[in-house]
Amino acid sequence: MTIPTMSVEFQRNGFNGVHSSAMPIVHKLSKDHDLVLKTFRLLIADLCQQFNGGHPGGAIGMAAIGVALWRYVMHYAPHTPGFFNRDRFVLSNGHTCLFQYSFLHLTGYKAMTFEQLKSYHSDRVDALCPGHPEIEHEGIEVTTGPLGQGIANAVGLAMATKNLAATYNRPGFDVVNNHTWCMIGDACLQEGVGLEAISLAGHFRLNNLTVIYDNNQITCDGSVDLTNTEDVNTKMRACGWDVIEVANGCFDIEAIVDALEQARSSKQKPTFINIKTVIGLDSSVAGTAVAHGAAFGAQSIRDMKTAYGFNPEHFVISESVRQFFQGIPERGEQWVQEWNQLVDNYAVQHPDLAAEFMARVRGELPANWQEYIPISFPDKPTATRASSGLVFNPIAKDINSFMVGTADLSPSVNMIWPGKVDFQHPELRTTCGINGNYSGRYIHYGVREHAMAAISNGLAAYSPNTIIPVTSTFFMFYLYAAPAVRMGALQHLQIIHVATHDSIGMGEDGPTHQPIELANLYRAMPNLLYIRPGDSEETAGAWIAAIGAKQTPSIISTSRQTLPQLAQTRRDGVAHGAYVLSEAESATVTLIGVGAELSFALEVAEQLKVQKGITARVVSFPCQRLFEKQSLGYKRTTLQRHRGIPAVVIEPFAPNGWERYADAGISVTRFGHSLPGKAAYKFFGYEIATLTTKVASYLERIQGDQLLRGEFVDL
Amino acid sequence: MTIPTMSVEFQRNGFNGVHSSAMPIVHKLSKDHDLVLKTFRLLIADLCQQFNGGHPGGAIGMAAIGVALWRYVMHYAPHTPGFFNRDRFVLSNGHTCLFQYSFLHLTGYKAMTFEQLKSYHSDRVDALCPGHPEIEHEGIEVTTGPLGQGIANAVGLAMATKNLAATYNRPGFDVVNNHTWCMIGDACLQEGVGLEAISLAGHFRLNNLTVIYDNNQITCDGSVDLTNTEDVNTKMRACGWDVIEVANGCFDIEAIVDALEQARSSKQKPTFINIKTVIGLDSSVAGTAVAHGAAFGAQSIRDMKTAYGFNPEHFVISESVRQFFQGIPERGEQWVQEWNQLVDNYAVQHPDLAAEFMARVRGELPANWQEYIPISFPDKPTATRASSGLVFNPIAKDINSFMVGTADLSPSVNMIWPGKVDFQHPELRTTCGINGNYSGRYIHYGVREHAMAAISNGLAAYSPNTIIPVTSTFFMFYLYAAPAVRMGALQHLQIIHVATHDSIGMGEDGPTHQPIELANLYRAMPNLLYIRPGDSEETAGAWIAAIGAKQTPSIISTSRQTLPQLAQTRRDGVAHGAYVLSEAESATVTLIGVGAELSFALEVAEQLKVQKGITARVVSFPCQRLFEKQSLGYKRTTLQRHRGIPAVVIEPFAPNGWERYADAGISVTRFGHSLPGKAAYKFFGYEIATLTTKVASYLERIQGDQLLRGEFVDL
């Protein structure tokens, strides 16, 4: 058995830039990788068997692909996992995580010891081998698992490279030129978010993106033919991708390497490599759905070992297999050093550009970013979607960190700054008159909300805070995007989602577009700021909070309709989540106002005084999550419920969760209605007179029925 | 100008079944439909101008398509809108609703008066012309608006026809043979849910489905080339569709009719008709994004009228245009009568089958359906996902109303009954060894959660309760499906979503698969029952509630892991949303238990007694929505908070909303962790000893700090 060595029998070229001179491992592409592949397959089978669970089949089928990637093709540095210009690898079929973990171990990532590898599916709380790859761990670029997300993340990672390269590379100084490799299974070609991302990647002509399809034709339910009989290669070509097929994907490492390097040198298109494999190869359940999500059983693994000529009772990674992967960390460090040298020289030749670039690498914004935010706003009725543009567009214009996108609602979301340039392949100018280039930072995502958010996760995951993606659409359509918004929150990625048309006040579009229950999701979602500002001043506060939240995504939830500017609002109040808008010594009720309906609370307070002689204090409550971070003292001082003053919240959303802060609520618990904004408010009882009456009669009721004081009352 | 008349110059054939003999309107296909088209375009322009808003452009561009459909091709009965065997029309680009409303008016739907037509975007609360089509109104098959949903609904409608036809048609008795027509714009080809549905429709070879693409190449942001440069026809063919192109779609009614009838007669595949149109044709903004979502302006419309030879100051639908659409209601009634006669004869020839069929038409289940549900269950630890199978599979086996699908999680969701037959095109047996036929009621949706739910909406919308779709996947992936689940709730469609792996107890798959905040969305969503049963008995209660909810979708939320059978659970308790599991006279605390963690509450109560001498009562709380429907008296008796007994809820979800029912909660406000189920519970503090300590110390704290009594406390 011949194990490829460090000898210089085979020199591959075909990629450009800093990496081209840095290939200390050159090698003979031997067809005889048998021992490595067999060892890898047994390793996976054993790790699953150890805990009698997990997903062995896919990882085993993909063994040869992994050897091609980690041993021969990918540029990375195991001892400098954060090497800025490394190739990015995304395991979109995240349940096959042992595939990645095992190669991280074999190629010398320090944290991924053999002991750690064995922690897969164990009780070990500090394990680096969770059931799906997690971004927190060395060598993992994005957290995957929910299918279709990874491929969209990969599109974002490739776009990040394109944008950074177009912005910072100069002749002789390709400071950013990495490739993105994405492994997928059948599911990622079925999930809508994957299909959206595929279409957009083809449009953007991301030739630095390669998707590797582990075509084993098996899903949980059985043969893919049960649910998918389409011609996938033709479909991918129709979407603007090059397609390469590899027939013998379980063994033919050379063909896979050829395909991968052909993909890396693609000039015009992303590449889809369709690799035929066998799930659970050589196990007793090879080629069947049973191989997907369960251990093979002790006897089956003993039989595999015997057939492979291994000791059936014992398993080791042999020294020759270790040798096969030797030298990879050193190769990586050489690339790191060459890149560092390149950047040093770049700093000499292009000092200003290099300074900005290195700040981006460190994830820093210009120190003066807050100075862009207007100190005050015109005192005229303004929709907060317009306020949002007033606050953010000057920042977006000047600070390259922000990449701003929309799911085909540019006219509605007000995110366009003067002179904005679209992120587009420059040749689209010739072929279809579309202006833009890869240094552009305005992204037309098309009507693809889910991919917009998932791609943004990829943009943000490229390197911490190097790119701060901004997305925008109607608030209701963040339900389409929700799985990806969640993945951003889970991964501690700073992404700013700008939502407009955020209440029944958006009007005629009706119940399909009027959010009633969506805020409940986002207020409950961990590590996410859902902020509903009430006027321009609060919108400034919302943006300050969102830009300041370096490890947390935000949703800034704005109105379609104009809102009055309120004298009492304060941007620093937003930072506290809730704050007193209007205090009153002898108040008998606190009115909580939120977002587009904040002014209603102030008006109701006034009418209560005028009409009923009732004194009300008013609290603005733009963000529950930020309020939760405040001290108990601040919370009590703000709400005053501990002094027995009941609080009534006014918000035309489902009330669930407001019970924590209020004793009663004027909420909406049915779907919306297609009516012009004002008429919709009237229809749902949000006219000042109606609101005033409801609050007053509630105050009467609780005087007569003390029991009600302990129960949340829907008014 | 020649207006097509009732004369017999042109007889079209090409479709089968009951309709073939029923074409009282036969016609000359004239190219000179000018007056009708111009009148229609001006009508749309005027209606938008009247309220200075709305979406005129698409509707105007599609005018000729509408004439082809409503005048020449579709089978429907304006005076019997619910005619069971009518063709279904879905406006997936729902913002162009005036297109549909205007044809409903012109073809004689009684409710759609000219006055109603003018209610578009008005303050009229009882309007039949909301901003997007709504299922409640005559002639509307499904509510659309969120893009991509309608095309998936259409796939469901076409599947419903296939299933009913395969089940009930007999030689000479095609009692169900309608066609489904779906109009889409560019967006439905970009949205993931649309792409998922397209792929599946091709796989299922739904030759009774035609998608008509209003190819105007414009979206809100501008040219489609901004975001989509793929070869759509090739992509559709790769997905298993026939493609027909129509070049001159604004005028060439004859070519459109030819294409539509060719589509209706397709033998093997669904048909995609790619029709080139001009958005806002003949307006001053024709062919631009501006035409999409705003009125054209008074002057522009005057100019259009002048150019068309109309009175620029006044608009009427001329008598000759009225005549063009005359006779359509009568034609429809003839079809209705022929169908009624057919069904009468069918009842003579096939009395048993006809009796079942007519019960299905009426949306009735067999009266004895509850008898299928086990009276008791084996007293052994059982995962509620398994309990769910025990309860429902016998029902699914015998009652044809249920069509049961899964997003590729058959091995996990336990929805397969003995002898189940897959819904598949029968020829797949030959081509790829897949067994099934269109009478099959088990649907492999593939890894397409969103389309699964959206297609289910279509299955359910075919006719009220004729089909009760059941979907299934992991609970977390109902976030992918959420926009469609919402559309089902909004449309009052009975659909039962069966979710498994519904808490951190699902274990190793980790935070991407562990729902923390998803229940918050579904508990807040109007008209939806989110039910978390705690054992087999409660699972029976959950199914009884879901099957009984004829106008409400349900989510039955089940556990991956085994749960003990609890002696105190009651299925009728589930019907009340919450009920007392264990009463105690002198209790000092109420423990609220839910679903997979219900037994924890009972165990904690026991430990509080044993260890601390604290008496606790226990309430099981499987469904907040059902509890809300109970009387204030029942609620108070159940919770006892009015007597000053504090309630503590134990559920490893985000607490938001429990504050209404409890004074404190042991909740989870961060994302999950990849650990085996028991270890995950331990990691998050859900061991009995830890829970007991937390409750006991809370009770101590509130003795010392009365202020806490008014505030929800996170333990």
Side-chain angles (χ1 to χ4, degrees):
Chain A
M1 177 167 298
T2 309
I3 301 295
T5 68
M6 305 282 283
S7 64
V8 197
E9 295 173 50
F10 189 99
Q11 172 74 51
R12 294 210 160 245
N13 294 307
F15 39 88
N16 310 311
V18 62
H19 290 146
S20 61
S21 65
M23 283 286 284
I25 299 185
V26 282
H27 51 77
K28 179 180 182 184
L29 270 183
S30 163
K31 284 189 179 171
D32 197 355
H33 291 73
D34 237 25
L35 180 64
V36 171
L37 293 176
K38 284 175 175 164
T39 300
F40 184 88
R41 291 181 207 125
L42 291 175
L43 174 63
I44 302 293
D46 259 5
L47 288 170
C48 289
Q49 189 57 36
Q50 181 176 7
F51 297 101
N52 198 26
H55 291 88
I60 284 175
M62 288 148 52
I65 300 170
V67 172
L69 282 168
W70 269 279
R71 176 63 174 74
Y72 296 116
V73 175
M74 281 203 295
H75 300 170
Y76 61 102
H79 290 180
T80 310
F83 169 41
F84 193 78
N85 197 33
R86 69 192 180 277
D87 282 359
R88 267 60 171 182
F89 174 80
V90 176
L91 189 72
S92 193
N93 47 349
H95 55 278
T96 68
C97 54
L98 276 181
F99 169 76
Q100 187 166 9
Y101 300 153
S102 297
F103 280 110
L104 294 181
H105 170 68
L106 291 167
T107 56
Y109 282 79
K110 288 179 181 171
M112 191 58 81
T113 61
F114 198 66
E115 283 310 304
Q116 272 293 350
L117 208 50
K118 289 196 288 185
S119 73
Y120 176 70
H121 277 213
S122 78
D123 280 3
R124 187 169 165 173
V125 167
D126 67 342
L128 302 182
C129 296
H132 295 86
E134 294 181 5
I135 193 171
E136 289 79 4
H137 304 316
E138 264 189 30
I140 308 295
E141 303 294 352
V142 286
T143 300
T144 54
L147 295 164
Q149 296 293 327
I151 188 169
N153 300 158
V155 172
L157 286 163
M159 288 169 64
T161 298
K162 285 291 184 194
N163 180 259
L164 292 168
T167 307
Y168 297 107
N169 287 359
R170 289 296 179 270
F173 295 102
D174 279 5
V175 291
V176 182
N177 68 354
N178 69 293
H179 199 87
T180 295
W181 309 93
C182 179
M183 193 80 231
I184 67 166
D186 290 292
C188 293
L189 296 171
Q190 298 186 15
E191 289 284 9
V193 62
L195 297 173
E196 292 177 6
I198 284 168
S199 175
L200 198 56
H203 171 76
F204 285 145
R205 305 192 189 182
L206 300 174
N207 66 331
N208 62 338
L209 171 65
T210 300
V211 165
I212 306 159
Y213 171 31
D214 173 38
N215 183 356
N216 63 32
Q217 288 289 310
I218 292 294
T219 66
C220 292
D221 274 15
S223 165
V224 169
D225 286 342
L226 278 169
T227 59
N228 206 4
T229 41
E230 68 194 16
D231 176 349
V232 65
N233 288 350
T234 301
K235 187 174 177 179
M236 293 301 293
R237 287 193 189 97
C239 290
W241 290 60
D242 279 329
V243 175
I244 305 173
E245 286 191 284
V246 175
N248 188 13
C250 284
F251 301 97
D252 195 346
I253 294 174
E254 183 163 15
I256 297 169
V257 171
D258 281 343
L260 294 170
E261 298 207 340
Q262 185 182 333
R264 192 199 281 275
S265 62
S266 167
K267 294 291 178 223
Q268 276 287 343
K269 297 181 180 182
T271 304
F272 177 74
I273 307 182
N274 186 334
I275 304 186
K276 285 256 167 48
T277 64
V278 176
I279 193 168
L281 183 78
D282 292 334
S283 74
S284 57
V285 291
T288 74
V290 182
H292 169 83
F296 298 149
Q299 187 56 48
S300 173
I301 294 174
R302 270 195 297 272
D303 293 346
M304 273 180 85
K305 288 178 178 169
T306 304
Y308 280 179
F310 281 57
N311 180 341
E313 304 306 331
H314 190 60
F315 173 73
V316 289
I317 299 175
S318 67
E319 195 47 41
S320 51
V321 170
R322 294 280 181 203
Q323 273 184 10
F324 179 81
F325 291 99
Q326 228 171 27
I328 287 176
E330 294 72 21
R331 177 183 71 178
E333 289 314 295
Q334 189 171 333
W335 283 331
V336 171
Q337 285 167 30
E338 291 189 29
W339 186 81
N340 288 340
Q341 187 61 54
L342 182 81
V343 172
D344 286 348
N345 297 340
Y346 174 68
V348 173
Q349 293 290 319
H350 305 281
D352 293 347
L353 203 59
E356 182 182 311
F357 175 65
M358 289 313 295
R360 297 284 302 276
V361 170
R362 292 189 300 271
E364 294 171 4
L365 287 181
N368 67 341
W369 69 265
Q370 287 219 34
E371 294 169 16
Y372 284 86
I373 295 179
I375 292 169
S376 63
F377 295 89
D379 184 18
K380 63 176 183 185
T382 309
T384 42
R385 62 174 168 149
S387 314
S388 172
L390 294 176
V391 173
F392 178 62
N393 293 343
I395 300 176
K397 178 173 182 293
D398 278 7
I399 303 182
N400 284 330
S401 304
F402 293 93
M403 293 189 77
V404 181
T406 180
D408 194 46
L409 283 174
S410 290
S412 299
V413 293
N414 296 301
M415 304 299 289
I416 293 179
W417 61 92
K420 66 96 179 162
V421 176
D422 287 356
F423 179 90
Q424 294 281 3
H425 190 285
E427 282 189 18
L428 286 186
R429 190 189 310 250
T430 320
T431 55
C432 49
I434 298 298
N435 285 327
N437 63 67
Y438 284 143
S439 79
R441 295 183 290 105
Y442 192 84
I443 306 171
H444 293 281
Y445 283 103
V447 193
R448 303 180 179 104
E449 297 85 3
H450 196 173
M452 172 171 69
I455 289 170
S456 294
N457 289 343
L459 289 170
Y462 186 84
S463 189
N465 307 106
T466 295
I467 292 170
I468 303 175
V470 178
T471 79
S472 61
T473 184
F474 290 165
F475 182 42
M476 198 61 244
F477 297 146
Y478 280 103
L479 188 56
Y480 275 62
V485 173
R486 182 182 208 262
M487 290 300 291
L490 173 59
Q491 293 178 80
H492 293 272
L493 299 173
Q494 181 177 28
I495 296 161
I496 304 175
H497 304 289
V498 185
T500 178
H501 291 46
D502 82 338
S503 76
I504 54 169
M506 59 81 70
E508 305 89 351
D509 279 342
T512 58
H513 286 52
Q514 293 167 353
I516 300 296
E517 76 286 25
L518 187 54
N520 301 83
L521 173 68
Y522 285 121
R523 284 173 177 153
M525 187 174 281
N527 193 40
L528 182 122
L529 301 180
Y530 173 75
I531 314 175
R532 270 196 96 199
D535 67 358
S536 297
E537 174 67 12
E538 286 200 351
T539 306
W543 273 103
I544 292 167
I547 295 174
K550 309 303 279 181
Q551 297 200 44
T552 300
S554 302
I555 297 176
I556 299 177
S557 183
T558 68
S559 73
R560 174 191 190 184
Q561 70 275 24
T562 60
L563 306 175
Q565 303 304 317
L566 305 173
Q568 306 92 328
T569 48
R570 300 196 328 264
R571 59 191 70 187
D572 70 307
V574 177
H576 289 81
Y579 63 105
V580 179
L581 211 59
S582 160
E583 195 49 279
E585 267 309 300
S586 55
T588 51
V589 65
T590 299
L591 300 178
I592 297 175
V594 194
E597 296 80 23
L598 177 57
S599 68
F600 295 4
L602 284 167
E603 290 185 62
V604 170
E606 195 181 321
Q607 289 307 310
L608 282 171
K609 191 75 183 172
V610 171
Q611 291 180 27
K612 317 272 182 180
I614 295 170
T615 304
R617 48 197 301 281
V618 180
V619 166
S620 175
F621 210 138
C623 182
Q624 292 182 359
R625 178 66 36 79
L626 288 171
F627 186 66
E628 279 304 303
K629 293 178 190 291
Q630 307 308 313
S631 68
L632 183 61
Y634 180 83
K635 290 185 196 174
R636 285 182 173 171
T637 307
T638 304
L639 292 178
Q640 297 279 337
R641 292 170 76 207
H642 67 297
R643 291 180 49 222
I645 302 175
V648 178
V649 61
I650 299 171
E651 187 182 42
F653 286 174
N656 313 41
W658 278 120
E659 301 94 339
R660 182 179 288 252
Y661 310 108
D663 301 279
I666 304 176
S667 312
V668 173
T669 55
R670 47 157 285 181
F671 287 109
H673 200 85
S674 173
L675 284 169
K678 278 187 185 173
Y681 277 129
K682 180 179 176 187
F683 180 77
F684 283 98
Y686 284 81
E687 284 190 312
I688 302 304
T690 314
L691 296 170
T692 305
T693 305
K694 282 185 176 176
V695 174
S697 65
Y698 167 68
L699 294 174
E700 265 178 45
R701 276 175 68 199
I702 55 175
Q703 291 217 328
D705 182 358
Q706 282 301 322
L707 286 181
L708 279 176
R709 289 303 297 275
E711 291 166 349
F712 188 83
V713 182
D714 298 297
L715 306 181
Chain B
M1 176 168 295
T2 308
I3 301 295
T5 67
M6 306 283 281
S7 64
V8 196
E9 294 175 50
F10 190 100
Q11 171 75 51
R12 294 211 160 246
N13 295 306
F15 38 87
N16 309 314
V18 62
H19 290 146
S20 60
S21 64
M23 282 287 284
I25 299 186
V26 282
H27 52 76
K28 180 181 181 186
L29 271 185
S30 163
K31 283 189 180 172
D32 197 357
H33 292 70
D34 238 25
L35 180 64
V36 171
L37 293 177
K38 284 175 175 163
T39 300
F40 183 87
R41 291 181 206 125
L42 291 176
L43 174 64
I44 302 293
D46 259 5
L47 288 170
C48 288
Q49 190 57 36
Q50 181 176 8
F51 297 101
N52 198 25
H55 290 88
I60 284 174
M62 287 148 51
I65 300 170
V67 172
L69 281 168
W70 269 279
R71 177 65 174 73
Y72 296 117
V73 175
M74 280 204 294
H75 299 170
Y76 62 102
H79 291 180
T80 309
F83 169 41
F84 194 78
N85 197 33
R86 70 192 179 277
D87 281 359
R88 266 62 173 182
F89 174 79
V90 175
L91 189 72
S92 193
N93 47 348
H95 54 278
T96 69
C97 55
L98 276 181
F99 170 76
Q100 187 166 9
Y101 301 153
S102 298
F103 281 109
L104 294 182
H105 171 68
L106 292 167
T107 55
Y109 281 78
K110 289 179 179 170
M112 191 58 82
T113 62
F114 198 65
E115 283 311 304
Q116 273 292 349
L117 207 51
K118 288 196 288 187
S119 73
Y120 177 69
H121 276 215
S122 79
D123 280 1
R124 187 169 166 173
V125 167
D126 66 342
L128 302 182
C129 297
H132 294 86
E134 295 181 3
I135 193 171
E136 290 79 4
H137 304 315
E138 263 189 31
I140 308 294
E141 303 295 352
V142 286
T143 300
T144 54
L147 295 163
Q149 297 293 328
I151 188 169
N153 301 158
V155 172
L157 287 164
M159 287 169 64
T161 299
K162 286 291 185 195
N163 180 258
L164 292 168
T167 307
Y168 296 108
N169 287 359
R170 289 296 179 271
F173 296 101
D174 279 5
V175 292
V176 183
N177 68 354
N178 69 293
H179 199 85
T180 295
W181 310 94
C182 177
M183 193 81 231
I184 67 167
D186 290 292
C188 293
L189 297 171
Q190 298 186 16
E191 289 284 10
V193 62
L195 297 172
E196 292 177 5
I198 284 167
S199 175
L200 198 56
H203 171 76
F204 285 145
R205 304 192 189 181
L206 301 173
N207 67 329
N208 61 337
L209 170 66
T210 300
V211 165
I212 306 160
Y213 170 31
D214 173 38
N215 183 357
N216 63 32
Q217 287 290 309
I218 292 294
T219 66
C220 292
D221 274 15
S223 165
V224 169
D225 286 342
L226 279 169
T227 59
N228 206 2
T229 41
E230 67 195 17
D231 177 349
V232 64
N233 288 350
T234 301
K235 187 175 177 179
M236 294 300 294
R237 286 193 190 97
C239 290
W241 291 59
D242 279 329
V243 175
I244 305 172
E245 286 191 284
V246 176
N248 189 14
C250 284
F251 301 97
D252 195 347
I253 295 174
E254 183 164 15
I256 298 169
V257 171
D258 281 344
L260 295 170
E261 298 208 339
Q262 186 181 334
R264 193 199 282 275
S265 62
S266 167
K267 295 289 178 224
Q268 275 287 340
K269 296 180 180 183
T271 304
F272 177 74
I273 307 182
N274 186 334
I275 304 186
K276 285 257 165 46
T277 65
V278 176
I279 193 169
L281 183 79
D282 291 334
S283 76
S284 58
V285 291
T288 74
V290 182
H292 169 83
F296 297 149
Q299 187 55 48
S300 174
I301 293 173
R302 271 195 296 274
D303 293 346
M304 273 180 85
K305 288 177 179 168
T306 305
Y308 280 180
F310 281 57
N311 180 341
E313 303 306 332
H314 191 60
F315 174 73
V316 288
I317 299 175
S318 67
E319 195 48 40
S320 52
V321 171
R322 294 280 182 201
Q323 273 184 9
F324 179 80
F325 290 100
Q326 231 172 24
I328 288 177
E330 293 73 20
R331 177 182 71 177
E333 289 313 296
Q334 188 173 333
W335 283 331
V336 171
Q337 285 167 30
E338 291 189 28
W339 187 80
N340 287 340
Q341 185 61 54
L342 182 81
V343 172
D344 286 347
N345 296 341
Y346 174 69
V348 173
Q349 293 290 319
H350 304 282
D352 294 346
L353 202 60
E356 182 182 311
F357 175 65
M358 289 312 296
R360 296 284 302 277
V361 170
R362 292 188 301 271
E364 295 170 3
L365 288 181
N368 67 340
W369 69 265
Q370 287 219 35
E371 294 170 15
Y372 284 87
I373 296 179
I375 292 169
S376 64
F377 295 89
D379 184 18
K380 63 175 183 187
T382 309
T384 42
R385 62 175 167 147
S387 313
S388 173
L390 295 176
V391 173
F392 178 62
N393 293 342
I395 300 176
K397 178 173 183 293
D398 278 7
I399 302 182
N400 284 330
S401 304
F402 294 93
M403 292 189 77
V404 181
T406 180
D408 194 46
L409 283 174
S410 291
S412 298
V413 293
N414 296 302
M415 304 299 290
I416 293 179
W417 61 91
K420 67 95 178 162
V421 176
D422 287 356
F423 179 91
Q424 295 280 3
H425 190 285
E427 281 188 18
L428 286 187
R429 189 190 310 252
T430 319
T431 56
C432 50
I434 299 297
N435 285 327
N437 64 67
Y438 284 143
S439 79
R441 294 183 292 105
Y442 191 85
I443 306 171
H444 293 281
Y445 282 102
V447 192
R448 304 181 179 102
E449 298 84 3
H450 196 174
M452 172 172 69
I455 288 171
S456 295
N457 289 343
L459 289 170
Y462 186 84
S463 189
N465 307 106
T466 294
I467 292 169
I468 303 175
V470 177
T471 79
S472 61
T473 183
F474 289 165
F475 182 44
M476 197 61 244
F477 297 147
Y478 279 103
L479 188 57
Y480 276 61
V485 173
R486 182 181 207 261
M487 291 299 291
L490 174 58
Q491 294 178 79
H492 293 274
L493 299 173
Q494 181 177 29
I495 296 162
I496 304 174
H497 304 289
V498 184
T500 178
H501 291 45
D502 81 339
S503 76
I504 54 169
M506 59 81 70
E508 304 90 351
D509 279 341
T512 58
H513 287 51
Q514 292 167 353
I516 299 297
E517 75 286 25
L518 187 54
N520 302 83
L521 172 67
Y522 286 121
R523 284 173 177 154
M525 187 173 282
N527 193 39
L528 182 124
L529 302 180
Y530 174 74
I531 313 175
R532 270 196 95 199
D535 66 358
S536 297
E537 174 69 12
E538 286 199 350
T539 305
W543 273 104
I544 292 168
I547 295 175
K550 308 304 278 182
Q551 297 201 44
T552 300
S554 302
I555 297 177
I556 299 177
S557 183
T558 69
S559 73
R560 174 190 190 185
Q561 70 275 23
T562 60
L563 306 176
Q565 302 305 317
L566 306 173
Q568 306 91 330
T569 47
R570 299 195 329 261
R571 59 191 70 188
D572 70 307
V574 177
H576 289 81
Y579 63 105
V580 179
L581 212 58
S582 160
E583 195 50 280
E585 266 311 299
S586 54
T588 51
V589 64
T590 299
L591 299 178
I592 297 175
V594 193
E597 296 81 23
L598 176 57
S599 68
F600 294 5
L602 284 168
E603 290 186 63
V604 171
E606 195 181 321
Q607 289 306 309
L608 282 171
K609 191 72 180 176
V610 172
Q611 292 178 26
K612 316 275 182 180
I614 296 171
T615 303
R617 46 197 303 282
V618 180
V619 166
S620 175
F621 210 139
C623 182
Q624 292 182 358
R625 177 68 35 80
L626 288 171
F627 186 65
E628 279 306 302
K629 293 179 191 288
Q630 308 307 312
S631 67
L632 183 60
Y634 180 83
K635 290 184 196 174
R636 286 182 172 171
T637 307
T638 304
L639 293 178
Q640 297 278 338
R641 293 170 75 206
H642 68 296
R643 292 179 50 219
I645 302 175
V648 179
V649 62
I650 299 171
E651 186 182 45
F653 287 173
N656 313 41
W658 279 119
E659 302 93 338
R660 181 178 288 251
Y661 311 108
D663 301 279
I666 303 176
S667 311
V668 174
T669 56
R670 47 157 286 181
F671 287 109
H673 199 87
S674 172
L675 284 169
K678 278 188 185 170
Y681 277 128
K682 180 179 176 186
F683 181 77
F684 283 98
Y686 285 81
E687 285 189 312
I688 302 305
T690 314
L691 295 169
T692 305
T693 304
K694 282 185 175 176
V695 173
S697 65
Y698 166 69
L699 294 174
E700 265 177 47
R701 277 174 66 197
I702 55 175
Q703 292 217 326
D705 181 357
Q706 282 300 323
L707 286 181
L708 280 177
R709 288 302 297 273
E711 291 165 349
F712 188 85
V713 181
D714 297 297
L715 305 182

